[in-house]
Amino acid sequence: PEGHDTRISAERQPSGDLALRLEFVESADASDHRAEHAGTEIYLDPVLAEPLSDSIMDVQSGDQGLSFVFLPQNPEAPPA
């Protein structure tokens, strides 16, 4: 929405995996890392900044609808 920042945050699950949350916030957290592509800014929870630093966020359509995926910028690198 206009006037809001897009932020991706993470929450550690009991399994040890990270659950990601895409949210629209009035302002990014001071500790967030800023990513920009084609004029779109996204703020990342500091926990995610390093693991996703070499990734590109994309959207895929599947049996359960749309989902976000993170693909390596360098196709020879392992996915995040």
Side-chain angles (χ1 to χ4, degrees):
E2 192 172 324
H4 286 73
D5 294 326
T6 303
R7 182 174 191 265
I8 300 175
S9 60
E11 183 176 315
R12 182 77 55 193
Q13 299 298 298
S15 66
D17 293 336
L18 286 176
L20 302 184
R21 176 181 297 161
L22 177 71
E23 52 193 340
F24 300 105
V25 295
E26 289 186 20
S27 62
D29 191 80
S31 64
D32 285 347
H33 293 259
R34 179 184 164 277
E36 185 270 330
H37 179 71
T40 301
E41 291 182 353
I42 294 180
Y43 294 89
L44 295 171
D45 183 320
V47 172
L48 298 172
E50 186 176 335
L52 297 180
S53 66
D54 291 329
S55 299
I56 297 172
M57 187 171 79
D58 198 3
V59 177
Q60 287 185 346
S61 180
D63 294 340
Q64 297 181 13
L66 297 176
S67 61
F68 290 105
V69 295
F70 293 91
L71 305 170
Q73 288 186 36
N74 175 356
E76 296 174 9

